[in-house]
Amino acid sequence: MSKRHLTQHQTQRIQKNQQDRLHKAKHSPELTDTEFHQLGPEEEGLLVAFHGRYAEVEDPQRKNHHCLLRQNIEGLAVGDKVLWRKGPHDLGVLTAKYPHRNLLGRPDKHGSIKPIATNIDQVFIVSATKPKLSSLLIDSYLVAAEKLSIQPILIFNKTDLLTPAEKKSTQVLLDIYKNLGYVVIFSSSVTKEGLHEIEHLLKNKTSIFLGQSGVGKSSLISFFLPKETIATGQLSQWEQGKHTTTTARLYHFPSGGKLIDAPGIREFGLWHMPAEQIAENFIEFREYLGHCKFHNCQHLHEPDCALKQAVHDGKIHHARWGSFQKIISS
Ligand SMILES: Nc1nc2c(ncn2[C@@H]2O[C@H](COP(=O)(O)OP(=O)(O)OP(=O)(O)O)[C@@H](O)[C@H]2O)c(=O)[nH]1
Ligand SMILES: [Mg+2]
Ligand SMILES: [Zn+2]
């Protein structure tokens, strides 16, 4: 009996040791036991970037520290307020995160959301003529922003590349959004058109620049933050589909406000969002929702659909309707 008991006890101890090792390996993969015990007290910080398994955490004095990530903290994103502990060799450990106001994420095809950034006030949706403007991408970003109640602003960049005829047709396209009440700014890092207007809107807010790779997000940001070293791409590079900005990073304005540069996004799926939520976040659809003949109308093939009627009457623009149909059927 005692022998059996001992064996059980031993087994438990072995299992416990294994678990401890596993736990340590998971939570502080590169800290030895001694180093782990040398960690300082918990301090507050701001997550400004990721580098693989490390987070870059800024302390209240704006000094940055590399911190190991503990795997049990989920949904961390640039902009999160966190707790961290200073370690030896200036390698700390991120230990906890505060709840966030909102989380802007990028849905993947498996239905989970990959966090991009958090605690955002406004999102600048940047397009250009090169790479080609995509109304579908703009509409998808708008739906995501509206859903999170984050203020969206549209930027059409690289106006210096437009012929007068192209400028006119782009204006017609973007008037759709102006008519819906969205702010639309035409800009160019070359001629500096629109840059002061953007700079004014950035004041004292936390903003993020989103858009396809190569539209000029980092070039705009480096104009606003001339003291920072921000990588911008070569034309040939993004034509080959290579991203210049590979990871989101948060910058501060000396006069107040934060700005996040994010990597380019070619496709922004809304696979995780139910059709009804998508319809609600096309803001001009809202007044027609609930007026279809069938209360569960999918606005596809049903008769007496209030949305389709509104498109027919010219109250909803066919381009926006087209985007909606594409999003729903994808
Ligand atoms: N003609 C013209 N070229 C621009 C303008 N803004 C940026 N570019 C060029 O466009 C290319 C891409 O610029 P980036 O600022 O790196 O683009 P990005 O949106 O940050 O790209 P990713 O980081 O890959 O997402 C570079 O070659 C820039 O020099 C502009 O206003 N006019
Ligand atoms: Mg960039
Ligand atoms: Zn309907």
Side-chain angles (χ1 to χ4, degrees):
M1 157 105 189
S2 71
K3 198 169 176 228
R4 217 186 104 218
H5 187 85
L6 194 73
T7 314
Q8 229 177 28
H9 188 77
Q10 278 175 332
T11 319
Q12 277 174 356
R13 208 174 60 199
I14 290 164
Q15 276 177 353
K16 168 110 188 18
N17 281 346
Q18 264 177 352
Q19 272 170 5
D20 282 354
R21 275 201 302 277
L22 208 66
H23 184 83
K24 274 206 186 109
K26 255 191 189 163
H27 298 290
S28 47
E30 281 162 30
L31 290 184
T32 62
D33 275 4
T34 350
E35 284 171 340
F36 192 80
H37 289 106
Q38 286 171 359
L39 289 177
E42 277 189 327
E43 296 179 48
E44 288 196 346
L46 179 68
L47 205 168
V48 295
F50 286 103
H51 308 278
R53 290 183 298 121
Y54 304 91
E56 198 175 322
V57 175
E58 184 189 86
D59 68 24
Q61 288 72 44
R62 299 256 171 103
K63 188 171 179 293
N64 290 9
H65 308 266
H66 278 79
C67 291
L68 285 163
L69 293 166
R70 296 173 71 148
Q71 296 197 338
N72 58 346
I73 310 173
E74 280 178 9
L76 268 176
V78 168
D80 262 323
K81 201 176 152 193
V82 297
L83 289 175
W84 64 287
R85 294 171 68 182
K86 217 172 256 167
H89 322 301
D90 205 26
L91 180 65
V93 176
L94 197 153
T95 51
K97 64 171 267 210
Y98 285 89
H100 44 233
R101 264 194 295 137
N102 54 39
L103 171 69
L104 184 67
R106 188 187 170 183
D108 69 11
K109 296 216 163 155
H110 312 290
S112 52
I113 310 263
K114 209 169 166 259
I116 301 175
T118 183
N119 298 326
I120 311 281
D121 298 315
Q122 48 188 14
V123 41
F124 287 80
I125 302 169
V126 189
S127 312
T129 176
K130 248 184 178 196
K132 199 171 173 298
L133 181 139
S134 158
S135 308
L136 180 62
L137 191 60
I138 293 179
D139 291 327
S140 303
Y141 282 135
L142 283 174
V143 167
E146 292 292 350
K147 164 85 197 322
L148 295 169
S149 304
I150 298 174
Q151 179 70 47
I153 292 145
L154 303 190
I155 295 185
F156 186 84
N157 192 37
K158 306 196 188 184
T159 50
D160 57 289
L161 297 177
L162 296 177
T163 63
E166 283 170 336
K167 182 141 196 190
K168 196 149 243 169
S169 63
T170 312
Q171 255 155 359
V172 169
L173 213 156
L174 291 171
D175 275 347
I176 300 171
Y177 299 96
K178 266 194 190 162
N179 293 337
L180 294 173
Y182 291 118
V183 173
V184 177
I185 301 171
F186 285 85
S187 70
S188 164
S189 293
V190 174
T191 63
K192 316 287 180 232
E193 177 185 357
L195 301 193
H196 290 294
E197 202 180 336
I198 299 172
E199 196 164 28
H200 182 71
L201 292 171
L202 289 168
K203 265 192 195 129
N204 301 321
K205 298 263 172 66
T206 300
S207 310
I208 185 165
F209 277 33
L210 292 179
Q212 292 184 75
S213 183
V215 292
K217 300 178 293 296
S218 299
S219 304
L220 288 170
I221 294 176
S222 52
F223 174 83
F224 301 127
L225 294 162
K227 293 219 174 98
E228 303 279 356
T229 336
I230 301 170
T232 58
Q234 299 297 316
L235 268 155
S236 59
Q237 199 181 336
W238 54 260
E239 274 165 356
Q240 291 160 14
K242 284 194 197 131
H243 294 219
T244 303
T245 307
T246 51
T247 180
R249 170 173 281 277
L250 183 147
Y251 300 95
H252 291 273
F253 288 108
S255 56
K258 304 183 190 94
L259 180 51
I260 298 166
D261 189 10
I265 300 177
R266 193 181 299 255
E267 218 187 332
F268 193 84
L270 295 166
W271 302 283
H272 62 299
M273 225 186 255
E276 204 46 43
Q277 246 178 47
I278 293 172
E280 277 166 21
N281 291 299
F282 274 79
I283 52 169
E284 73 277 36
F285 292 11
R286 287 177 182 162
E287 60 180 293
Y288 306 103
L289 294 172
H291 297 283
C292 301
K293 179 170 175 187
F294 298 104
H295 77 278
N296 59 350
C297 184
Q298 297 291 299
H299 325 297
L300 291 169
H301 313 291
E302 293 87 345
D304 295 331
C305 167
L307 280 181
K308 275 195 277 184
Q309 189 60 46
V311 178
H312 181 80
D313 297 342
K315 304 240 169 66
I316 289 175
H317 199 284
H318 60 83
R320 291 271 289 170
W321 182 243
S323 288
F324 173 70
Q325 299 277 317
K326 272 189 206 146
I327 294 171
I328 293 291
S329 54
S330 67

